[in-house]
Amino acid sequence: MDISFLGGPGPQRGVGVVAPFDFALDRELWRWVPDEVSLRLTRTPYVPVEVSLDLARLVSEHQTLTEAVRALSASEPEVVAYACACGSFVGGLAGERAMCAAMTRAGEVASVTTSGALLEALAELGVHRIALVTPYTGSVTRALEDYLREAGAAVTGRAFLGLTRHIWKVPYRDVVDMARRAVRGTVSRPADALFISCTNLATYDVIPQLEAELRMPVLTANQVTMWAALRRIGVRAVGPYQALLMEPAPDMAPGTAPYVAPGTAPYTAPDMAPGTAPHTAPGTAPDTQEGVT
């Protein structure tokens, strides 16, 4: 049988992904990726530690990342992403930058991390007040808050599950319930956006629903990771009704497009011109909200 008429396969652009050993959401990452891009995944070595600050430090050691990136280099990716939120925020801003530098040295290509991608997304959307949802324990959630405050973002509220394992099994309804609690507990000083942390927490299908209901951009760990990695190679991530992925109007510069949730009026961050950089006013204390356990 002659199959020469099929041609192909077509060329594929490669995105390397380093994920923690317990990462179980490969398929979710692929949902943000256009057809012409192929993900090449590898995982960090197994360690007998549950999700905690200790595990975050172990899976982000430079030697571990260097070996993982070198393994990926055989498939010649154009960019490498470290798909782990807690592993990339546990060391603060300096730690995240050092991780990127170590990966870039190992693979000789551009590198991004989930936490670095989050800050990039906040700047892109002009967000400086953020509510948080995490599956983590209180101590890991506080480390995320510290990272964001160091970057100049104000944390307005949070909800967390207190989990140390099997995070990928959390159903969408629990994610939605936490999002509502994190955002609606800060009516006096509302958030500009919501961030749902952890690359092992499934979120793809809840983003449009939450953006329409809460009338604000909803960012998630896997979403920002794929968005930033693809951006490095000049490719747009795909995903319906997600503020971060919306095309700017032709007469608007990148980072200044207003957000419009389906069926709602245009959203503008309170007291902030669209497209401006994140900041916290000197002496301003962030709002507080008790975690959900």
Side-chain angles (χ1 to χ4, degrees), residues 230-252:
L230 292 167
R231 196 183 201 200
R232 294 295 189 279
I233 62 173
V235 175
R236 294 188 66 87
V238 296
Y241 301 110
Q242 298 181 26
L244 182 63
L245 311 185
M246 288 182 178
E247 292 268 8
D251 58 345
M252 300 186 75

Side-chain angles (χ1 to χ4, degrees), residues 132-219:
L132 300 177
V133 164
T134 88
Y136 311 134
T137 61
S139 60
V140 180
T141 301
R142 286 190 293 273
L144 171 57
E145 293 186 41
D146 291 343
Y147 174 81
L148 287 166
R149 289 182 180 127
E150 184 184 2
V155 177
T156 63
R158 83 283 300 146
F160 58 91
L161 283 175
L163 298 180
T164 60
R165 58 185 305 187
H166 295 164
I167 289 171
W168 70 89
K169 297 181 180 180
V170 174
Y172 280 153
R173 63 178 177 272
D174 291 354
V175 176
V176 171
D177 287 345
M178 284 195 297
R180 290 167 177 161
R181 294 172 186 174
V183 170
R184 291 176 179 171
T186 59
V187 175
S188 61
R189 303 187 66 194
D192 302 335
L194 172 73
F195 175 58
I196 304 174
S197 192
C198 189
T199 55
N200 226 3
L201 184 65
T203 59
Y204 186 93
D205 294 306
V206 302
I207 295 173
Q209 173 190 339
L210 286 174
E211 290 195 340
E213 178 181 332
L214 302 176
R215 297 189 62 191
M216 64 177 60
V218 173
L219 305 173

Side-chain angles (χ1 to χ4, degrees), residues 42-55:
T42 191
R43 284 167 170 75
T44 61
Y46 170 78
V47 291
V49 179
E50 294 187 328
V51 178
S52 60
L53 291 175
D54 288 339
L55 179 62

Side-chain angles (χ1 to χ4, degrees), residues 98-114:
M99 290 175 65
C100 278
M103 290 192 297
T104 297
R105 286 194 301 271
E108 299 183 350
V109 294
S111 300
V112 299
T113 72
T114 298

